[in-house]
Amino acid sequence: GSSLYPITKKIPKPMLMINKKPHLENVVDKLIEEGFQNITLCLNYKYENIISYFKKRKKKAEISYSIEKKRLGTAGPIRFGVNEKTVFPMIVINADLITDLKFSNLLNFQNNNKNALTVGVKREKYKLPFATVDYKKEKILSITEKPEKFYYFNTGIYMMNKDIIKLIPKNKKFDMPDLISKTLSKKKIVTAFYIYENWYDFGTRENYKMLKK
């Protein structure tokens, strides 16, 4: 939550209030409503805050905790989060996003395609605020005024099969782009699942203030 500091000085980012509840509770409740019963929270920063809050809740699902002794990135904790109750394929979600996506649709997509890893994606338009110039040997060939380009971006929502877990190194910082690249290098199938539904993250103070409204 460094990008939200000092808001996150005392509160870990997933526990910031949105819709009058800590956001992580919104995520957990959405999973439970869709039928997911075994949930693991991978924690590091101010993890005591999160555990004490969820232990006070009435039990609606089996919630376990995987605590990192050091920061392991966005993929590293997954290996430690897997336990004997884990059911595959497994959904993995970043804790700082809001979406109307039905996670059960993602699960059905994974089961029907039999791929190793599915990555939720969305499309964003980026407009360059300058004119671009194409030139060769100091001669301008063309100029384009403030061009626009569409990019597909990773939403932080994944579905993975069991054989993916062994690709994650033990006790080493490892991010999801690293895992996706390693999966591809092993000639395993990685598919994109386009998310048509609303999707937001509150990784910046501006986004968080907007979502609170």
Side-chain angles (χ1 to χ4, degrees):
S2 56
S3 58
L4 284 167
Y5 198 84
I7 300 171
T8 51
K9 184 176 181 180
K10 295 182 179 180
I11 303 171
K13 181 164 64 170
M15 297 300 284
L16 293 176
M17 301 295 284
I18 294 179
N19 291 336
K20 300 179 181 179
K21 286 199 298 187
H23 176 61
L24 187 56
E25 187 169 23
N26 292 321
V27 176
V28 168
D29 286 345
K30 179 173 170 57
L31 287 167
I32 292 170
E33 286 168 10
E34 293 198 34
F36 293 89
Q37 287 298 309
N38 297 308
I39 299 169
T40 300
L41 305 179
C42 297
L43 310 175
N44 177 268
Y45 179 66
K46 296 191 180 297
Y47 64 87
E48 303 95 336
N49 181 310
I50 296 172
I51 293 174
S52 62
Y53 183 88
F54 278 91
K55 284 190 173 178
K56 293 174 185 176
R57 282 179 28 127
K58 289 184 179 179
K59 191 172 182 180
K60 300 177 183 178
E62 188 71 35
I63 298 179
S64 57
Y65 307 92
S66 177
I67 301 168
E68 303 170 33
K69 294 181 180 178
K70 63 179 182 179
R71 295 185 184 183
L72 298 175
T74 51
I78 298 170
R79 184 158 190 153
F80 294 97
V82 172
N83 55 46
E84 67 281 357
K85 294 182 179 178
T86 303
V87 177
F88 290 94
M90 174 179 69
I91 190 167
V92 177
I93 311 165
N94 288 357
D96 62 349
L97 57 87
I98 298 169
T99 181
D100 296 328
L101 169 68
K102 284 197 70 175
F103 297 127
S104 52
N105 289 343
L106 178 60
L107 175 61
N108 291 336
F109 178 85
Q110 175 80 1
N111 286 333
N112 290 336
N113 286 276
K114 306 296 182 184
N115 45 293
L117 176 63
T118 296
V119 181
V121 301
K122 277 190 82 66
R123 192 172 75 158
E124 184 74 22
K125 181 173 67 175
Y126 179 73
K127 184 174 183 178
L128 196 70
F130 316 104
T132 60
V133 175
D134 183 23
Y135 76 95
K136 187 176 181 180
K137 294 183 179 180
E138 300 178 352
K139 290 184 179 180
I140 290 181
L141 304 177
S142 65
I143 184 167
T144 305
E145 178 65 19
K146 298 180 181 179
E148 294 180 348
K149 188 173 181 179
F150 284 97
Y151 293 91
Y152 289 94
F153 66 91
N154 178 2
T155 63
I157 302 172
Y158 315 92
M159 187 69 74
M160 60 185 65
N161 288 340
K162 191 173 185 178
D163 57 346
I164 293 297
I165 304 303
K166 62 187 178 185
L167 300 180
I168 302 171
K170 292 181 180 179
N171 206 32
K172 179 182 176 183
K173 188 176 184 299
F174 201 66
D175 288 319
M176 282 305 302
D178 301 321
L179 180 58
I180 293 167
S181 296
K182 193 171 183 179
T183 305
L184 291 169
S185 72
K186 298 293 183 181
K187 309 299 182 185
K188 295 181 182 292
I189 298 173
V190 180
T191 53
F193 180 84
Y194 191 83
I195 296 174
Y196 292 92
E197 294 85 353
N198 288 332
W199 180 96
Y200 309 97
D201 80 326
F202 52 96
T204 65
R205 277 180 283 184
E206 293 75 19
N207 283 2
Y208 178 58
K209 288 176 183 177
M210 178 194 74
L211 289 168
K212 281 196 74 175
K213 292 177 182 179

